[in-house]
Amino acid sequence: RLIEAKCDVDKADGNGATPLMVAAVKGHEGAAKLLMATADAKAEDKTGWRASHLALCAGAEELAAMLLRKEDEAGPVDARLLKVRADVQARRDAAPDVFSEPTSDAKIDIADRTVTFKDFSTVRFKRGCPAGKRAYYELTIKTLMPYPQIGFATSGLESSELPRGNGVGDNAKSWGVDGVRCKKWHPGNQEEYGAKWSAGDVIGVAWDGVKREIAVSVNGDFAPPNGVQFQLHPEADAPDMHPAFSAGDGVVEYNFGEGG
């Protein structure tokens, strides 16, 4: 219908996704073939992915190969398909896992880098920050959710230690900040947190394994009431730390980088 109506087949949505990308990520080969006749297969969404990445993410390898041929770049298609496959795997490796027990209805979309919460639950990134190193990640609040608890958890935290209703900061192996209830969460630390979050805010969380501090920013601002929220005891164990966050109904977009 887009083609018949002579619409702009490369018009992107707010995430930079074109109709060809939407057809690819849904594995709709017929629609993708029609769009490929006039669409730009080299177009990239806001995360840097092309339709070929999205097709492979959806498991449509033949469609991905067709899209790579349409891109018409140097090098054999098979070699470029291996590169796209590596890109998709890297994003899967960098993505978080649902960590709650019992398993919740939280949905992780690696193509959009979003987590959709349908019940209070926790996700934790697979890749942690080694002891003595630094890490930083961001969450963009797409839909403001109740009860957000955003922070870090140690590599030793087990999902069984987060029974229903508990999240990041509700035990000794995790630390969380909440900009809806304006609280810091960690056993023995129930201090107030002075910032109030809204939909559209970008929440940054930093772990400094040298200073053993967890700091928070809002829209890039670390000034008070943001900045350092937790100071870990200098003589305590220094485990690997994993970005982790809990929330009720709502949507966040995560950015932890493909390379970790």
Side-chain angles (χ1 to χ4, degrees), residues 41-42 50-52 66-73 80:
K42 295 182 182 179
R50 297 179 177 181
S52 54
M66 285 192 292
L67 287 161
L68 286 168
R69 282 191 285 271
K70 174 66 175 176
E71 290 175 13
D72 194 28
E73 292 188 339
R80 287 188 286 132

Side-chain angles (χ1 to χ4, degrees), residues 6-232:
K6 297 182 180 180
C7 295
D8 181 2
V9 295
D10 291 321
K11 186 175 182 180
D13 64 15
N15 294 317
T18 64
L20 179 58
M21 293 178 189
V22 174
V25 78
K26 293 183 177 180
H28 291 169
E29 186 173 317
K33 283 181 177 179
L34 287 173
L35 289 164
M36 272 192 281
T38 53
D40 180 8
K42 295 182 182 179
E44 297 181 353
D45 65 15
K46 287 187 175 180
T47 72
W49 268 17
R50 297 179 177 181
S52 54
H53 290 90
L54 296 164
L56 200 59
C57 183
E61 189 154 328
E62 290 185 10
L63 177 57
M66 285 192 292
L67 287 161
L68 286 168
R69 282 191 285 271
K70 174 66 175 176
E71 290 175 13
D72 194 28
E73 292 188 339
V77 168
D78 287 349
R80 287 188 286 132
L81 188 61
L82 286 174
K83 172 63 169 60
V84 172
R85 189 180 292 119
D87 290 344
V88 172
Q89 188 58 51
R91 188 169 293 187
R92 286 193 174 116
D93 290 343
D97 277 332
V98 177
F99 197 67
S100 300
E101 191 174 280
T103 302
S104 73
D105 291 328
K107 178 185 176 183
I108 298 169
D109 187 327
I110 69 164
D112 291 337
R113 292 182 180 173
T114 58
V115 180
T116 301
F117 293 95
K118 293 185 179 180
D119 193 1
F120 187 79
S121 52
T122 297
V123 299
R124 187 179 75 171
F125 283 90
K126 304 170 189 175
R127 187 171 295 158
C129 177
K133 302 296 183 180
R134 296 179 176 89
Y136 174 79
Y137 74 101
E138 292 179 339
L139 297 180
T140 300
I141 301 174
K142 309 296 282 187
T143 304
L144 189 63
M145 55 280 189
Y147 322 125
Q149 295 174 211
I150 298 173
F152 280 89
T154 72
S155 54
L157 180 65
E158 300 291 340
S159 59
S160 59
E161 297 177 83
L162 290 180
R164 186 175 296 280
N166 284 11
V168 173
D170 287 330
N171 57 49
K173 297 177 182 177
S174 61
W175 297 258
V177 176
D178 176 346
V180 172
R181 291 170 289 179
C182 299
K183 295 283 188 181
K184 302 177 189 180
W185 298 99
H186 186 70
N189 182 347
Q190 297 297 321
E191 297 178 13
E192 298 293 316
Y193 166 63
K196 192 78 171 176
W197 299 341
S198 302
D201 283 345
V202 179
I203 312 304
V205 192
W207 160 247
D208 187 329
V210 176
K211 296 181 179 179
R212 300 170 64 79
E213 296 174 343
I214 296 174
V216 172
S217 67
V218 178
N219 301 321
D221 186 2
F222 280 95
N226 298 305
V228 175
Q229 304 297 321
F230 298 102
Q231 178 72 63
L232 278 64

